[in-house]
Amino acid sequence: MQLAVVSGTVFGLAEDVAFHATEQLLKAGITAEYRQRWDLKSLVEADPQAVLFVTSTTGMGEIPPMLQKLVSELEEHFPAWAGRPAAVIALGDSGYGDTFCAAGEQLRELMEELGMIELQEMLRLDASETVTQVQDSEGWVEQFAEALQAWNAA
């Protein structure tokens, strides 16, 4: 199964989480490709059978600027990904109240619009509670790898 790992970050932490998740997924036998900045053409040409989004939340609950263009293009062009599995790792700070992990929620909505299936509940990493988000994501990523393998075997 070919998995695309897509990230959006402001200060680099979501990128670190995405890179580490990709390494962990590769070790679990998942064919995963991570790029710091996917563009629509490259992502559609890669034709991933599954997608993992990793994003921080910025401003008043927005998707980071480096990911906004791709999200807008996906909303406009609707690649034929209906029925494919996807998941989200969202980074945020619960101190911001209602906008905590809002970018992740927006990506969940995008997945739904594209007809993708949320394979695993979104992981919310809270900067108010931890400074080890990379390590804190490992158990979730392990479960995600198992879910992808089970999906692929079905």
Side-chain angles (χ1 to χ4, degrees):
M1 169 173 287
Q2 174 66 29
L3 170 73
V5 180
V6 178
S7 71
T9 191
V10 175
F11 299 111
L13 186 55
E15 193 171 271
D16 293 344
V17 171
F19 180 78
H20 186 71
T22 303
E23 289 183 327
Q24 192 177 349
L25 289 160
L26 288 167
K27 287 178 185 172
I30 305 294
T31 303
E33 183 177 358
Y34 170 65
R35 296 186 191 176
Q36 289 178 329
R37 293 182 192 226
W38 284 97
D39 60 62
L40 180 66
K41 182 177 186 243
S42 298
L43 189 55
V44 169
E45 285 176 357
D47 194 29
Q49 283 78 52
V51 179
L52 172 60
F53 294 98
V54 182
T55 188
S56 60
T57 299
T58 188
M60 297 301 295
E62 291 117 18
I63 292 171
M66 69 179 287
L67 185 55
Q68 286 176 354
K69 181 181 180 197
L70 177 61
V71 168
S72 294
E73 290 174 339
L74 288 169
E75 290 171 335
E76 290 173 23
H77 298 284
F78 279 88
W81 293 349
R84 295 183 187 187
V88 177
I89 297 175
L91 288 76
D93 187 326
S94 61
Y96 286 92
D98 292 343
T99 63
F100 174 57
C101 291
E105 292 297 342
Q106 292 173 55
L107 290 172
R108 290 178 75 207
E109 290 172 15
L110 173 65
M111 289 170 13
E112 186 175 330
E113 288 173 20
L114 295 174
M116 300 184 87
I117 296 166
E118 186 174 30
L119 190 59
Q120 186 165 315
E121 186 175 332
M122 181 172 77
L123 174 62
R124 292 169 176 82
L125 296 170
D126 187 354
S128 291
E129 295 180 6
T130 184
V131 294
T132 57
Q133 288 91 340
V134 171
Q135 293 79 12
D136 294 346
S137 68
E138 289 177 349
W140 185 95
V141 172
E142 182 179 329
Q143 291 174 346
F144 182 60
E146 291 169 1
L148 283 171
Q149 289 165 337
W151 177 277
N152 199 37

